[in-house]
Amino acid sequence: MVMNTGARLITWLVPGMDWLSLERAVQEFKELMVGQVDMRQEAANLLKFRDNFRNHPRVFFPEPLNEFCGPAVLVEDWVDGVGIQEYMDQTKKEGEVLRKELAGLGVDMLLKMVFTDNYWHGDLHPGNILVTSGNRLCVLDTGVASSLTEGDRENLIHTFRAVVLGESCKVGELFLERSYHECLDKEAFKKDMQSIVDEARSAQLSLDRIDVCQLLQSVFSTLMRHHVRLDANFSSVVIAIAIVEGLGRVLDPQLDLVSRALPFLMRNKY
């Protein structure tokens, strides 16, 4: 109630901010928070992820015991494992090969969620990932999960594909075509986006050469400056990628995002 009133007040006091649709953003935030406190929703998310990864040999999710679950209670089967943060010590040379393996596995897991399943975990920090026997990954805490509409998904895939293939001139154009905006200088926006992508591409999108969080901050700043609005779930994809990027940077700084993402993007129907 307070946030919604504040959003209306800001929009009324600063008419130039109505393009941000603050009331809609508050409503989306409310829906996200309500979903998180209902344990039945988290159990449903677990079942969805389990189904999506049922044939994956190295990634799995705990099984919810639905007969014991309720609005305030979530019961899952027990999983033995060690938090992936235990493998993030770069001073231990004997674990270097395994760290690289886990980094690739984690990045591929997220790419599958986003580009194949259109259903991703919104909180993939190290505390929510266990390394189990056989160096498999078990993912916990599925309270935050998102997906995109068909149109927004197509936008996401085309945008990432343009970045990965180095088609920087298309990125700004795609944002303008597929996002709500009040951009007054479309050519300037497209040039700014092209410059960001070209800079990222020159670093080959390898985690030891590029700060993905800084890259995303540049993108968001450019969108804000030119009054181009992203769908909220599009933003959540970016946040998920930023979190996994941080994990990958520690485990394997040489991990190449382009080579990892390309198969997922090119096999897509769009």
Side-chain angles (χ1 to χ4, degrees), residues 142-195:
T142 60
V144 182
S146 302
S147 61
L148 292 173
T149 64
E150 198 69 11
D152 287 329
R153 185 186 183 207
E154 185 177 355
N155 181 23
L156 174 71
I157 290 170
H158 278 293
T159 301
F160 270 80
R161 186 180 290 161
V163 172
V164 168
L165 295 179
E167 298 171 342
S168 56
C169 57
K170 289 185 178 180
V171 175
E173 188 175 331
L174 286 167
F175 273 105
L176 292 176
E177 287 178 357
R178 303 169 186 271
S179 304
Y180 175 81
H181 67 85
E182 295 181 7
C183 182
L184 298 178
D185 191 340
K186 295 181 177 62
E187 291 305 314
F189 171 72
K190 287 190 278 189
K191 286 180 180 178
D192 287 348
M193 292 299 293
Q194 181 174 355
S195 176

Side-chain angles (χ1 to χ4, degrees), residues 147-248:
S147 61
L148 292 173
T149 64
E150 198 69 11
D152 287 329
R153 185 186 183 207
E154 185 177 355
N155 181 23
L156 174 71
I157 290 170
H158 278 293
T159 301
F160 270 80
R161 186 180 290 161
V163 172
V164 168
L165 295 179
E167 298 171 342
S168 56
C169 57
K170 289 185 178 180
V171 175
E173 188 175 331
L174 286 167
F175 273 105
L176 292 176
E177 287 178 357
R178 303 169 186 271
S179 304
Y180 175 81
H181 67 85
E182 295 181 7
C183 182
L184 298 178
D185 191 340
K186 295 181 177 62
E187 291 305 314
F189 171 72
K190 287 190 278 189
K191 286 180 180 178
D192 287 348
M193 292 299 293
Q194 181 174 355
S195 176
I196 292 171
V197 175
D198 285 343
E199 183 177 349
R201 286 287 304 175
S202 68
Q204 298 179 349
L205 290 182
S206 177
L207 296 185
D208 64 336
R209 301 186 187 97
I210 188 169
D211 186 336
V212 175
C213 290
Q214 183 62 49
L215 169 65
L216 298 175
Q217 183 178 334
S218 298
V219 171
F220 278 121
S221 296
T222 302
L223 293 169
M224 192 74 136
R225 190 167 64 252
H226 289 278
H227 291 194
V228 179
R229 188 175 72 209
L230 277 182
D231 176 87
N233 281 343
F234 197 113
S235 303
S236 75
V237 178
V238 172
I239 293 170
I241 291 172
I243 293 173
V244 173
E245 176 268 344
L247 175 62

